[in-house]
Amino acid sequence: MISIRVEYGSAKMAEEERIANAEKLKEKANTHFKEKDYENAIKYYTEALELNSSNAIYYSNRSLAYLRTECYGYALADATRALEIDKNYIKGYYRRATSNMALGKFKAALKDYETVVRVRPNDKDAKMKYQECNKIVKQKAFERAIASDELKRSVVDSLDIENMTIEDEYTGPKLEDGKVTVKFMKDLMQWFKDQKKLHRKCAYQILIQVKDILSKLPSLVEICLKETEKITICGDTHGQYYDLLNIFELNGLPSETNPYLFNGDFVDRGSFSVEVILTLFGFKLLFPDHFHLLRGNHETDNMNQMYGFEGEVKAKYTAQMFQLFSEVFQWLPLAQCINSKVLVMHGGLFSEDGVTLDDLRKIDRNRQPPDSGLCFLLWHKNGRSISKRGVSCQFGPDVTEHFLKQNKLQYIVRSHEVKAEGYEVTHSGKCITVFSAPNYCDQMGNKGAYIHLRGSDLKPEFHQFTAVPHPNVKPMAYANSLLQLGMM
Amino acid sequence: MASRLPFTDSDAADEAVRATCDDASSCKRFATSKGYWSDPYIQYFVRQAGERKAPEINRGYYARVQGMSHLLEAFIRRTEGNCQVVNLGAGLDTNFWRLKDGNLLPKKYFEVDFPMIVARKIHNIKTKPPLSKSLIETHSTDSLMMDGHSLDSDRFCIVAADLRDVLDMEDKLKKFQLDPGLPTLFLSECVMVYMTPEQSSRLVRWASDTFHTAMFINYEQVNMADRFGQVMIENLQRRQCTLAGADTCQSLDSQKERFLNAGWESADALDMMTVYGLLPQEDVARIERLEFLDEKELLQQLLQHYCISWAFKDKLRLGLSQVAF
């Protein structure tokens, strides 16, 4: 009996010692915090937590340190954990609200401020923060409703291209007299194939020039194919550069007699997105009237942040370069009409009736997509499931039928969804899906496809192709799923 | 581990299998950092949240973890804690600590894995007080029995063994009081697929021969005969990782048969797409809001190529057939 008590006692003592040591570490961390040495503050809060992981105050304090170092995700996680340990810990709600504000999650922040105000009705600071946050939430809702654009300064204004120098050691392709030429494109494609980097000055030059010509295009581009002319329509390519090269191999390089239309989603997921987009932009500059690009839902900030393009650009170039890509993407046209008979767009049609081609022409597209209108063109899914999250939902054969009739069109071509055969014909031939990223994400085993359209009859002719090998590139810091092997 | 012998092909194959432990842990770590589910202990095994994983991978792991937890907890409740759990190929799993927090510990929780993995795990437990604390609290003395390849305490035990050498493993487990008389739950997550069907069949049969009241829950690939499955096998080959047990992963039926042919009373299997639909949908809606998934087809394909299969024998008539979805 006695020996058991002693054993229990020494276990208890070790426990108390641990708790005391944790407190000491916390004090140390607090001191560092006061001195604005946040890195060390975080370090010592972490050590304190290793000794005593059920202390809400440690999490809350570390959350604040993370906020100071702009690690808002970690700050949010710590605030949440503090509240999991002690849901009555008011500071925890504060911290979580602040983190959410920083992350732009104003509605979530508002909820927490509400909680604080409810528990502490006389706390002036809480009330003020609640009102401020509420104002922002209301303002954002208003902005969305009127869907108007605020003027933002362009990256172009702060770039000094003329004075950017290219080092002698750079042996890669350069624009000739500031222009893209056939030779430049051929050299560029080989350079990229060998996994080399285009000099940032050339990349900037391309982006600035592309932004200029895209901004002069309408949101609905209209082209006319003569009887003897044809065009090749490709779907999503998603950073699969080596498969893009294969398309050019199979179907010929772009030219005035071999026009192309790429229907969005050029970047993200695949880890060669930079190479894909610069190649496509290069051809746009070389053959502006015979090489067409439409915007996909992945030519947006939210997607680029999550699915790898932003990370890839930051790793290969800079954040500023990504900003410029973002601006250029905003100017990509949204739809293309061929011979007034065939309409091409990335996502699909609208859920409401009565949309006309004229409405498409009038869309103010130089922005990130809001939750309606422009969004459906980029986001619409064809078929079964309705997503409860945000903007994706279905459009059925009746919508297609009605839209085509009203606008005197024969059929639409869209992309956006992976198809095992690379393409799919639905709605009695009135809706075609084309997808040009074979073995998508190195996992799906699907074929890719492209469409030949002749001016003479506008009947779609499908060509399928399979994936080609690509270099085993290490995944980027912000993900691509290429080396995801599943759930092992 | 013998260090003088040449590094053979089979050593390379085993090394590739051990590497999957890191895949799983880092994916789980990332998913928890994003808030898919709560695991306060995984950070002590996997330092950084690491590279971002694609949303479909996070959702897939969510379904896996929730699905396995559901059955594990149902078994422990049905046996009222009067049971054992044996996690075969446990890796850096944190079940023990989370069960303890939830007051759902079995009489004893056993883990088995390769010596190198067990050594790592023991080292982590030794050096991280939040981990050892739970062990000490459930132990009758305040020093744990551990060396480089085993750790034993009253309620938790880790043993280094090769699952393909069933008798050796049984020996080691029995030394640490594995009791064939107690209702016992066997877990294996992406483990048997790395063994040949003969080897896994020996393991599964040993379990049914040795325990009269037991369950075996297995998570791994299924429907591997189609294009997606073939691509997965090719991708893994390129990493020197061979799915030696792919034949058993042909279909839900083949997953069930492996148990029925090895002495188990009854077997069932569901693909993860089905499991996903059977999980509490409110929480599923919550996690679907965490990250926007741009291509649902990717998740669907993934979920349709993994399954949970389970089998039981119920001499004590505990109603183990009720442990299901």
Side-chain angles (χ1 to χ4, degrees):
Chain A
M1 275 306 260
I2 293 169
S3 64
I4 290 174
R5 227 180 291 137
V6 166
E7 279 160 1
Y8 174 75
S10 62
K12 190 99 197 334
M13 246 165 44
E15 168 97 22
E16 281 168 1
E17 196 177 314
R18 229 200 332 268
I19 291 180
N21 285 338
E23 269 302 294
K24 283 201 201 108
L25 286 164
K26 180 200 106 180
E27 294 303 327
K28 197 154 187 212
N30 284 352
T31 310
H32 280 292
F33 187 96
K34 287 200 191 89
E35 293 164 1
K36 298 204 200 290
D37 181 0
Y38 302 120
E39 297 300 336
N40 271 320
I42 290 168
K43 174 172 178 231
Y44 288 109
Y45 286 132
T46 306
E47 288 186 17
L49 281 166
E50 281 184 358
L51 295 185
N52 183 358
S53 65
S54 48
N55 187 309
I57 296 176
Y58 298 168
Y59 279 115
S60 169
N61 288 7
R62 193 172 70 175
S63 175
L64 192 56
Y66 275 133
L67 284 173
R68 294 280 187 272
T69 54
E70 299 185 24
C71 294
Y72 301 121
Y74 290 150
L76 181 64
D78 274 356
T80 307
R81 249 176 270 152
L83 288 171
E84 275 170 14
I85 293 171
D86 180 2
K87 69 172 189 274
N88 295 317
Y89 185 40
I90 293 300
K91 263 206 188 124
Y93 288 103
Y94 254 116
R95 301 272 177 269
R96 194 166 65 180
T98 311
S99 309
N100 275 323
M101 291 285 282
L103 288 167
K105 298 191 188 156
F106 300 112
K107 281 202 187 134
L110 193 64
K111 257 206 216 125
D112 282 340
Y113 283 132
E114 238 171 347
T115 305
V116 177
V117 167
R118 216 182 325 121
V119 172
R120 296 236 185 103
N122 295 321
D123 184 340
K124 288 204 181 85
D125 182 63
K127 200 175 256 164
M128 184 186 76
K129 291 223 161 74
Y130 171 78
Q131 282 166 348
E132 235 173 69
C133 187
N134 202 9
K135 225 176 20 188
I136 294 179
V137 169
K138 287 215 177 95
Q139 186 179 8
K140 293 230 150 246
F142 178 69
E143 278 172 9
R144 269 198 295 271
I146 64 171
S148 77
D149 217 4
E150 14 145 342
L151 274 166
K152 255 166 69 171
R153 291 205 65 217
S154 166
V155 164
V156 179
D157 297 336
S158 52
L159 282 174
D160 184 6
I161 298 293
E162 292 315 307
N163 287 322
M164 248 184 233
T165 50
I166 299 182
E167 315 74 45
D168 291 333
E169 297 81 53
Y170 176 73
T171 54
K174 297 179 229 193
L175 272 59
E176 297 176 37
D177 266 337
K179 294 230 167 329
V180 171
T181 60
V182 172
K183 177 174 187 316
F184 171 81
M185 287 310 297
K186 288 201 170 130
D187 290 345
L188 182 69
M189 286 191 285
Q190 185 59 47
W191 190 250
F192 281 157
K193 190 175 182 185
D194 296 335
Q195 294 182 267
K196 301 199 191 126
K197 202 165 74 174
L198 175 67
H199 195 279
R200 69 186 212 294
K201 174 171 178 163
C202 309
Y204 274 124
Q205 286 172 307
I206 289 175
L207 285 171
I208 290 171
Q209 290 177 31
V210 159
K211 183 178 177 196
D212 188 49
I213 64 171
L214 289 179
S215 65
K216 297 191 169 82
L217 292 174
S219 295
L220 170 67
V221 173
E222 288 165 280
I223 64 166
C224 203
L225 281 183
K226 296 201 193 68
E227 284 258 326
T228 50
E229 287 176 331
K230 71 165 203 291
I231 189 169
T232 303
I233 304 177
C234 296
D236 299 27
T237 39
H238 276 302
Q240 298 186 196
Y241 180 68
Y242 294 84
D243 293 307
L244 175 67
L245 287 185
N246 190 35
I247 291 175
F248 291 151
E249 192 93 355
L250 296 169
N251 195 55
L253 285 176
S255 71
E256 269 116 359
T257 49
N258 192 17
Y260 276 88
L261 164 51
F262 280 85
N263 196 13
D265 278 13
F266 322 115
V267 300
D268 279 339
R269 287 213 175 256
S271 49
F272 309 101
S273 294
V274 164
E275 291 73 24
V276 167
I277 191 68
L278 288 176
T279 302
L280 294 178
F281 280 169
F283 278 120
K284 181 64 186 170
L285 290 173
L286 193 52
F287 305 113
D289 298 321
H290 295 87
F291 195 84
H292 307 278
L293 300 171
L294 295 178
R295 191 175 186 184
N297 57 289
H298 276 269
E299 277 73 54
T300 57
D301 290 348
N302 288 341
M303 293 294 107
N304 293 160
Q305 184 204 39
M306 274 183 63
Y307 288 99
F309 183 56
E310 181 178 337
E312 190 182 328
V313 176
K314 280 177 167 166
K316 289 177 176 169
Y317 294 101
T318 61
Q320 187 180 53
M321 171 93 60
F322 175 71
Q323 276 309 306
L324 186 50
F325 268 112
S326 172
E327 287 178 31
V328 178
F329 285 167
Q330 289 188 172
W331 280 116
L332 285 163
L334 304 176
Q336 183 138 337
C337 196
I338 303 172
N339 291 16
S340 304
K341 288 265 158 271
V342 178
L343 188 64
V344 187
M345 81 285 275
H346 177 75
L349 292 177
F350 302 88
S351 59
E352 65 249 27
D353 281 335
V355 180
T356 64
L357 292 184
D358 211 39
D359 292 330
L360 300 187
R361 278 182 205 109
K362 294 203 186 109
I363 290 181
D364 172 21
R365 71 182 189 277
N366 180 22
R367 54 173 303 149
Q368 294 298 312
D371 284 351
S372 63
L374 173 153
C375 221
F376 288 118
L377 283 172
L378 304 186
W379 273 111
H380 237 126
K381 289 229 183 276
N382 179 7
R384 293 147 284 283
S385 56
I386 301 181
S387 162
K388 289 177 207 128
R389 200 238 184 249
V391 300
S392 164
C393 64
Q394 67 187 11
F395 66 103
D398 50 344
V399 174
T400 311
E401 178 87 48
H402 196 133
F403 178 82
L404 292 175
K405 247 205 198 108
Q406 183 169 20
N407 293 287
K408 301 193 177 62
L409 299 165
Q410 270 177 22
Y411 61 91
I412 63 167
V413 175
R414 39 89 69 177
S415 301
H416 190 47
E417 289 177 275
V418 61
K419 299 290 172 195
E421 293 300 309
Y423 73 96
E424 193 183 62
V425 181
T426 50
H427 301 181
S428 318
K430 302 216 168 79
C431 177
I432 294 176
T433 303
V434 65
F435 191 85
S436 306
N439 195 19
Y440 187 41
C441 301
D442 277 3
Q443 280 176 3
M444 298 296 280
N446 60 293
K447 295 190 184 130
Y450 51 82
I451 301 174
H452 276 172
L453 221 54
R454 254 160 268 280
S456 52
D457 61 6
L458 293 182
K459 279 210 184 74
E461 191 185 273
F462 300 98
H463 297 260
Q464 296 169 299
F465 56 98
T466 50
V468 297
H470 60 75
N472 189 19
V473 173
K474 198 168 140 68
M476 319 223 76
Y478 295 94
N480 63 72
S481 58
L482 277 192
L483 293 194
Q484 225 85 92
L485 299 173
M487 298 187 286
M488 314 316 296
Chain B
M1 285 282 268
S3 49
R4 294 278 176 82
L5 297 176
F7 196 69
T8 64
D9 280 345
S10 69
D11 290 333
D14 284 357
E15 207 30 59
V17 174
R18 280 188 285 272
T20 69
C21 166
D22 290 304
D23 279 332
S25 327
S26 86
C27 286
K28 287 181 181 179
R29 176 80 171 96
F30 183 82
T32 55
S33 77
K34 281 261 155 256
Y36 279 79
W37 69 90
S38 169
D39 184 346
Y41 300 97
I42 194 165
Q43 59 174 307
Y44 302 117
F45 292 111
V46 187
R47 252 268 106 103
Q48 301 285 23
E51 299 163 339
R52 192 187 195 113
K53 309 290 189 268
E56 65 273 10
I57 296 291
N58 295 327
R59 292 189 192 188
Y61 270 95
Y62 169 82
R64 162 175 170 172
V65 168
Q66 301 302 92
M68 293 297 283
S69 277
H70 173 87
L71 294 175
L72 167 62
E73 290 176 14
F75 179 87
I76 294 177
R77 284 200 186 91
R78 182 144 286 267
T79 56
E80 291 172 2
N82 209 11
C83 61
Q84 284 160 154
V85 176
V86 181
N87 193 338
L88 302 165
L92 301 175
D93 189 89
T94 55
N95 271 336
F96 170 79
W97 290 270
R98 293 183 296 134
L99 287 173
K100 176 179 177 297
D101 282 354
N103 278 321
L104 259 183
L105 276 184
K107 276 230 149 97
K108 194 159 185 180
Y109 190 101
F110 294 83
E111 293 190 353
V112 183
D113 213 315
F114 280 115
M116 288 212 270
I117 303 229
V118 166
R120 262 174 77 187
K121 190 156 193 182
I122 292 178
H123 173 78
N124 279 319
I125 293 174
K126 226 175 18 184
T127 56
K128 307 261 187 256
L131 295 177
S132 52
K133 177 172 174 229
S134 308
L135 267 63
I136 292 174
E137 281 172 2
T138 54
H139 192 58
S140 49
T141 68
D142 67 7
S143 63
L144 305 169
M145 249 200 62
M146 69 173 95
D147 58 22
H149 46 81
S150 66
L151 176 158
D152 190 42
S153 72
D154 288 353
R155 310 293 290 276
F156 182 67
C157 166
I158 309 181
V159 140
D162 192 321
L163 296 174
R164 298 164 294 195
D165 187 349
V166 181
L167 294 176
D168 175 65
M169 178 193 72
E170 175 183 46
D171 223 31
K172 291 174 166 143
L173 287 170
K174 287 217 162 121
K175 224 190 343 199
F176 294 117
Q177 285 87 51
L178 180 68
D179 178 1
L182 270 181
T184 303
L185 175 64
F186 293 91
L187 300 172
S188 68
E189 270 182 58
C190 290
V191 166
M192 299 205 282
V193 69
Y194 300 116
M195 301 182 224
T196 65
E198 294 74 40
Q199 288 164 336
S200 61
S201 155
R202 247 178 277 141
L203 184 60
V204 169
R205 182 167 276 288
W206 164 80
S208 90
D209 282 349
T210 318
F211 296 79
H212 54 71
T213 304
M215 255 190 108
F216 202 119
I217 303 177
N218 179 46
Y219 170 91
E220 70 187 7
Q221 287 85 339
V222 77
N223 296 326
M224 291 302 277
D226 65 11
R227 193 83 197 94
F228 187 90
Q230 290 311 299
V231 172
M232 195 199 295
I233 290 175
E234 277 159 25
N235 285 345
L236 287 166
Q237 257 321 120
R238 253 178 265 137
R239 258 184 34 168
Q240 277 88 54
C241 196
T242 312
L243 294 188
D247 278 349
T248 325
C249 300
Q250 290 300 299
S251 65
L252 292 174
D253 278 338
S254 63
Q255 286 283 7
K256 285 187 255 189
E257 264 148 43
R258 84 181 323 155
F259 292 110
L260 298 172
N261 295 342
W264 292 82
E265 234 168 74
S266 171
D268 213 336
L270 290 176
D271 74 35
M272 293 309 290
M273 194 72 221
T274 313
V275 171
Y276 194 69
L278 293 170
L279 295 174
Q281 289 301 295
E282 214 177 278
D283 202 50
V284 170
R286 175 190 69 83
I287 64 115
E288 287 187 347
R289 286 192 291 269
L290 290 174
E291 290 180 306
F292 185 83
L293 177 59
D294 63 340
E295 179 66 82
K296 291 221 162 27
E297 183 68 15
L298 286 171
L299 177 66
Q300 204 168 312
Q301 283 294 326
L302 206 59
L303 292 180
Q304 281 169 347
H305 288 82
Y306 287 87
C307 74
I308 298 186
S309 55
W310 63 98
F312 67 83
K313 44 193 311 219
D314 199 355
K315 173 148 171 255
L316 293 179
R317 295 196 200 280
L318 298 178
L320 292 183
S321 60
Q322 300 301 305
V323 177
F325 283 99

